[in-house]
Amino acid sequence: MESMLNKLKSTVTKVTADMTSAVMGNPVTREFEVGRHIASGGPGMCWRIYNGTKKSTKQEVAVFVFDKKTVEKYQKFDKDQIIESLKRGVQQLTRLRHPRLLTVQHPLEESRDCLAFCTEPVFASLSNVLGQWDNLPSPVPTDIKDYKLYDVETKYGLLQISEGLSFLHSGVKMVHGNLCLENVILNKSGAWKIMGFDFSISSTNPSDAEPKYSCKEWEPNLPPLCLPNPEYLAPEYILSVSCDSASDMYSLGVVMHAVFNEGKPVFQVNKHDIFKSFSRQLDQLSRLSPTMLNKIPEEVREHVKMLLSVTPNVRPDADQMTKIPFFDDVGAVTLAYFDSLFQRDNLQKSQFYKNLPKVLPKLPKRVVVYRILPALTSEFMNPDMVPFVLPNVLLIAEECTKDEYVRLILPDLSPVFKQQEPVQILLIFLQKMDLLLTKTPPEDIKNSVLPMVYRALEAPSIQIQELCLNIIPTFANLIEYPSMKNALIPRVKSACLQTSSLAVRVNSLVCLGKILEYLDKWYVIDEILPFLQQIPSREPAVLMGVLGIYKCTFSHKKLGIPKEHLAAKSLPHLVSLSIDNNLNLNQFNSFMAVIKDMLTRMEAEHKTKLEQLHSMQEQQRSMNINTSQTNQSEETKRTPSPGNQIDDVFGGSSGSAGVNGKVNGNSAPAPQLNRMSLTLEEKQRLAKEQEQAAKLRNQPALAPQSIKPATPSTQAKDLTSSLLNNMTSLGSLSLTSPPRPGLIQSSTISAYPSTNPMGSMVSNGYNPTMGFQTGGLGMRGPGPYGGMATTTSTPNFGALTHNQGSTNTPDMSALDSLFTSNKPKVSLNQMAPPKPTPGTTATPWLNQFGSAQPSQTAPMQGAPLAMGGVTSGFGMQANPFFSPQNFSQPTAAPGMNAGGGLRHSSSVNNDLKDLFG
């Protein structure tokens, strides 16, 4: 890759250096920019041809440059002879003006290094096209290497040379003297032009009818550039030193032979012995064999043979050659007519342009694009001719590639888009709108083509509006959606509403109906269908057009009308239109058929929706029921109710009332799960609950120890004897037990009240591993004030093990009455346990748990006691396994007396008063 780039760089550098060195300093460069080397031509192919532009006008030109370094090998005399010959040829060409002669744009300029002059744009010389690549850039340009002449180009080219010779011989009285392939130049449009007048000979008596020409004798010692090409010279020029117009015709015959024989002349001449070669050539020409002309077309072969005749008088002149049937080809005639258009009036031109579309398909594309198209576009300056020229230009555009269209046609076509007169221009563009939208770039479509369509829709001519509306559907698929939605459709709607022509209104509706498929569904529903209700006209054709749009929208698989729109807007509108008095029976039936189809589809769609909704509801309901049952069964298996757990742990019977509301083994009904779908928060909560239940299930099982509570005694005891017994027990305890604080800590209270006035000390049946302890009830004896006070101790979980370890703990409750208290006296009636609710049995331990007291030492008055005098509310904050909301707080009626509670009587009170004063 790098080597290729280096090679390209060196080539470009070399070519630029050669061009710069050749042209630098020449006055031509003051006015013209010199471009790249494109061809070569002139006598001996000595002229290099460059493309260029004029600096002031940017006009394209060809720059012919002769580098003086190419003749440095010659002596000064020969060198001067060559320079003078070349200068004479260019000066003669500059003085002559004819369509068949190369047009000079800037005369010859000489500098120290080169000669240069400028002409019309040039493609190459005929010699280059036929394979002679002398003095061409390296590598040879591809367009020259691959160039092949078409028959029409050859015919018309030879005709042009013949016409050029006719001009020289008849008009100027001049013999060219060196007509050959290198002196025939093909310009940019393909026309053949004559140059190389270095050896031209003017008539010595131009005023006479019979011109005479003086010919120079052949000088073999002169350089080749100072002599004409001998292979194209007539024999009399060498052998008899005479020439006339017939000598040029012989040269034309050799040129025609070379054109049909890949650039080869009739004879090869030995330039070192020119006279001997021509003598031999003269004998061969006198008996010319048919095989030498077999490549020449048969219809012109005889004329070529005549041109190559040894006798000058036999040769046809230039005017006769222009009239031979060989040049009557339709293509050649067409090209000839284009070259003479400047001589025609508008009527002749219009007739020619009308018939031109029949001829264009028969011509080669290169000829049409580079020869005919420039002539056609030049007529755009004449507004009257545009309607005749424009169809041919668009026909050529169809055969061009997009690049050729943009480069060669669109620049000349853009101004025509804006012309509004004559009106035929707009009609022609509308008929070829698909071509324009296909090949025109998007920016030019937006700026030039679509505005022309919009003008047509707004034109005052009804015919233009109708044609535009009829043509729009044919190219609607090529219009960009934003342009169609925002610009085209509003103008079509406006044309329908504002026109007074029934045909325009109907065509507008037909146009909308045909372009519906290119629109968005919701745009149709929101813009097109409401527009139909705005149409005031009630002609049957208009009503059927409205029906057609509804039908197309309804039945099109891409569009469709939602059932909501059908019910609310479409059907009411159609029903109202269907009963219009202007409709006949068939039209009414058409309306009813569409209405029935809409009703049927609306019914089917809504019924399907309701069925699906019902099915989804049933499925959801079934899923919720299954989920509820599954959750209930899993909760029953995995997570037993808190009441059952506590009852099992602490030995509660199934018949007792649990904290969760179970009564006689029957659980309260569980709340129903929501039948609707669970929200994300509910699912997260359910997941957390299941996770917590799983953790509880994985914990080691608790093994509760059931201890039967002491059987309450209903027999009344004598307080005096009980006091004496307790005092005896106290004395023994003081001898064996370590000293204790005054307030009894961690005293265990029986779960069931006993007949003992202060309660018997009985184990409460806790599991030793649980570490729970009931709140102790400390009672002080009669004090100075003779009252009783209760102290509720804070649960002590550590002391339970020690208390359970002693089996014969003395009952110290009887001594409580011996201590005085500074609190108000509490009657025994108030100290009695609450009466249980009828129909329930107190759980041995549950009533310990109630609402916590604000202080540990409080008066007993007014506070409900449970479990033999302990205030309710123990353990709910201290127990980590139970949640307060899972347990109910049984309310005991104040003053209730159960059978197992303390019995109070007036005799008892009296005894106490007598005993303690």
Side-chain angles (χ1 to χ4, degrees), residues 331-597:
V333 172
T334 301
L335 294 177
Y337 197 92
F338 272 107
D339 290 338
S340 61
L341 276 177
F342 62 95
Q343 302 174 1
R344 315 287 179 176
D345 57 19
N346 286 345
L347 180 61
Q348 293 174 328
K349 291 180 181 179
S350 62
Q351 293 295 330
F352 172 72
Y353 291 138
K354 286 181 181 179
N355 297 323
L356 184 59
K358 301 177 183 179
V359 180
L360 290 178
K362 301 178 182 179
L363 300 177
K365 177 181 176 180
R366 185 176 67 208
V367 175
V368 172
V369 171
Y370 293 100
R371 290 297 310 275
I372 296 178
L373 181 62
L376 291 174
T377 55
S378 64
E379 291 289 344
F380 286 155
M381 302 301 296
N382 185 358
D384 295 334
M385 288 291 101
V386 173
F388 301 99
V389 174
L390 189 57
N392 297 292
V393 174
L394 297 179
L395 183 62
I396 296 173
E398 291 179 355
E399 302 300 325
C400 293
T401 64
K402 188 173 182 178
D403 177 69
E404 292 172 340
Y405 170 82
V406 172
R407 180 167 47 89
L408 301 175
I409 300 178
L410 185 59
D412 296 317
L413 210 56
S414 295
V416 185
F417 288 141
K418 302 177 183 179
Q419 295 184 12
Q420 301 183 14
E421 295 294 337
V423 70
Q424 290 84 357
I425 297 176
L426 196 56
L427 298 178
I428 295 171
F429 276 131
L430 290 175
Q431 292 172 351
K432 294 291 184 179
M433 190 58 62
D434 54 343
L435 168 68
L436 299 177
L437 296 177
T438 302
K439 295 189 176 182
T440 306
E443 190 67 23
D444 293 295
I445 291 177
K446 181 179 179 181
N447 297 331
S448 301
V449 179
L450 291 182
M452 178 186 61
V453 178
Y454 305 152
R455 288 196 305 270
L457 288 173
E458 298 170 351
S461 173
I462 294 177
Q463 294 180 348
I464 294 180
Q465 288 184 342
E466 289 183 26
L467 179 61
C468 183
L469 292 170
N470 290 331
I471 293 175
I472 285 175
T474 62
F475 61 83
N477 59 322
L478 302 176
I479 302 178
E480 293 183 351
Y481 183 71
S483 299
M484 179 180 292
K485 181 178 69 173
N486 300 325
L488 182 62
I489 297 297
R491 284 176 169 84
V492 175
K493 292 161 60 177
S494 177
C496 180
L497 294 176
Q498 297 178 2
T499 185
S500 59
S501 171
L502 177 62
V504 173
R505 187 174 290 115
V506 173
N507 286 328
S508 299
L509 294 174
V510 173
C511 177
L512 287 176
K514 291 182 178 180
I515 64 178
L516 285 177
E517 59 180 325
Y518 307 114
L519 300 176
D520 180 69
K521 173 181 177 179
W522 295 110
Y523 178 79
V524 174
I525 293 173
D526 296 338
E527 298 293 336
I528 303 300
L529 298 186
F531 155 73
L532 299 179
Q533 301 180 10
Q534 302 174 8
I535 301 176
S537 177
R538 286 296 180 266
E539 290 86 355
V542 176
L543 297 181
M544 295 307 295
V546 172
L547 177 65
I549 293 178
Y550 272 112
K551 184 176 182 180
C552 292
T553 306
F554 173 73
S555 60
H556 196 279
K557 60 181 180 180
K558 174 187 172 183
L559 301 175
I561 304 177
K563 64 180 187 300
E564 294 80 8
H565 195 281
L566 287 175
K569 298 180 180 179
S570 300
L571 283 173
H573 186 219
L574 286 177
V575 170
S576 65
L577 295 180
S578 65
I579 60 174
D580 192 280
N581 295 329
N582 294 325
L583 297 178
N584 58 29
L585 179 60
N586 293 333
Q587 294 168 344
F588 173 76
N589 290 335
S590 300
F591 267 90
M592 296 309 299
V594 175
I595 292 173
K596 290 178 181 179
D597 291 342

Side-chain angles (χ1 to χ4, degrees), residues 218-433:
W218 183 268
E219 298 182 12
N221 297 326
L222 289 175
L225 290 178
C226 294
L227 296 172
N229 190 339
E231 294 175 346
Y232 292 85
L233 283 179
E236 65 269 15
Y237 191 97
I238 302 295
L239 298 177
S240 60
V241 192
S242 62
C243 66
D244 55 8
S245 59
S247 301
D248 282 343
M249 300 309 296
Y250 177 89
S251 299
L252 176 62
V254 180
V255 168
M256 295 178 69
H257 180 275
V259 167
F260 292 109
N261 287 272
E262 300 175 354
K264 297 177 181 178
V266 180
F267 300 106
Q268 297 292 332
V269 177
N270 185 1
K271 298 178 182 180
H272 300 286
D273 193 358
I274 188 76
F275 297 101
K276 187 175 181 180
S277 296
F278 265 86
S279 299
R280 191 184 311 110
Q281 177 179 337
L282 188 62
D283 295 338
Q284 293 176 354
L285 289 174
S286 58
R287 52 180 186 273
L288 192 63
S289 63
T291 57
M292 296 179 64
L293 306 176
N294 57 0
K295 290 185 179 181
I296 299 175
E298 186 175 356
E299 58 268 26
V300 74
R301 188 177 301 167
E302 188 64 27
H303 297 90
V304 172
K305 186 176 181 180
M306 294 174 64
L307 291 174
L308 296 177
S309 173
V310 176
T311 306
N313 295 333
V314 178
R315 302 167 191 162
D317 59 25
D319 289 336
Q320 293 173 343
M321 284 297 299
T322 58
K323 297 179 176 60
I324 62 175
F326 179 71
F327 297 133
D328 288 340
D329 180 77
V330 60
V333 172
T334 301
L335 294 177
Y337 197 92
F338 272 107
D339 290 338
S340 61
L341 276 177
F342 62 95
Q343 302 174 1
R344 315 287 179 176
D345 57 19
N346 286 345
L347 180 61
Q348 293 174 328
K349 291 180 181 179
S350 62
Q351 293 295 330
F352 172 72
Y353 291 138
K354 286 181 181 179
N355 297 323
L356 184 59
K358 301 177 183 179
V359 180
L360 290 178
K362 301 178 182 179
L363 300 177
K365 177 181 176 180
R366 185 176 67 208
V367 175
V368 172
V369 171
Y370 293 100
R371 290 297 310 275
I372 296 178
L373 181 62
L376 291 174
T377 55
S378 64
E379 291 289 344
F380 286 155
M381 302 301 296
N382 185 358
D384 295 334
M385 288 291 101
V386 173
F388 301 99
V389 174
L390 189 57
N392 297 292
V393 174
L394 297 179
L395 183 62
I396 296 173
E398 291 179 355
E399 302 300 325
C400 293
T401 64
K402 188 173 182 178
D403 177 69
E404 292 172 340
Y405 170 82
V406 172
R407 180 167 47 89
L408 301 175
I409 300 178
L410 185 59
D412 296 317
L413 210 56
S414 295
V416 185
F417 288 141
K418 302 177 183 179
Q419 295 184 12
Q420 301 183 14
E421 295 294 337
V423 70
Q424 290 84 357
I425 297 176
L426 196 56
L427 298 178
I428 295 171
F429 276 131
L430 290 175
Q431 292 172 351
K432 294 291 184 179
M433 190 58 62

Side-chain angles (χ1 to χ4, degrees), residues 563 605-621 676:
K563 64 180 187 300
E605 289 182 359
H606 196 63
K607 184 177 180 181
T608 302
K609 177 184 176 181
L610 293 177
E611 290 176 350
Q612 293 177 352
L613 182 60
H614 178 72
S615 175
M616 292 173 62
Q617 291 175 348
E618 291 295 328
Q619 184 179 4
Q620 184 67 28
R621 185 178 296 110
M676 300 302 291

Side-chain angles (χ1 to χ4, degrees), residues 559-715:
L559 301 175
I561 304 177
K563 64 180 187 300
E564 294 80 8
H565 195 281
L566 287 175
K569 298 180 180 179
S570 300
L571 283 173
H573 186 219
L574 286 177
V575 170
S576 65
L577 295 180
S578 65
I579 60 174
D580 192 280
N581 295 329
N582 294 325
L583 297 178
N584 58 29
L585 179 60
N586 293 333
Q587 294 168 344
F588 173 76
N589 290 335
S590 300
F591 267 90
M592 296 309 299
V594 175
I595 292 173
K596 290 178 181 179
D597 291 342
M598 290 182 174
L599 287 171
T600 302
R601 181 177 297 183
M602 183 180 66
E603 176 187 3
E605 289 182 359
H606 196 63
K607 184 177 180 181
T608 302
K609 177 184 176 181
L610 293 177
E611 290 176 350
Q612 293 177 352
L613 182 60
H614 178 72
S615 175
M616 292 173 62
Q617 291 175 348
E618 291 295 328
Q619 184 179 4
Q620 184 67 28
R621 185 178 296 110
S622 176
M623 291 176 61
N624 289 338
I625 292 174
N626 294 336
T627 304
S628 175
Q629 293 177 354
T630 303
N631 292 340
Q632 290 180 4
S633 61
E634 289 181 355
E635 290 177 1
T636 303
K637 294 178 181 179
R638 298 179 182 177
T639 310
S641 64
N644 287 340
Q645 284 186 342
I646 298 171
D647 289 343
D648 293 340
V649 170
F650 298 105
S653 62
S654 62
S656 14
V659 293
N660 62 345
K662 288 187 179 182
V663 180
N664 295 329
N666 297 326
S667 61
Q672 294 291 330
L673 294 176
N674 188 4
R675 294 181 182 273
M676 300 302 291
S677 301
L678 297 178
T679 63
L680 179 60
E681 293 78 7
E682 291 173 344
K683 291 180 180 180
Q684 291 176 347
R685 179 175 56 80
L686 182 59
K688 291 181 180 179
E689 291 177 358
Q690 293 177 355
E691 182 180 0
Q692 184 67 20
K695 290 182 179 179
L696 291 175
R697 187 171 59 253
N698 294 332
Q699 289 181 354
L702 300 176
Q705 294 182 358
S706 300
I707 301 177
K708 293 183 179 180
T711 305
S713 175
T714 59
Q715 183 179 1

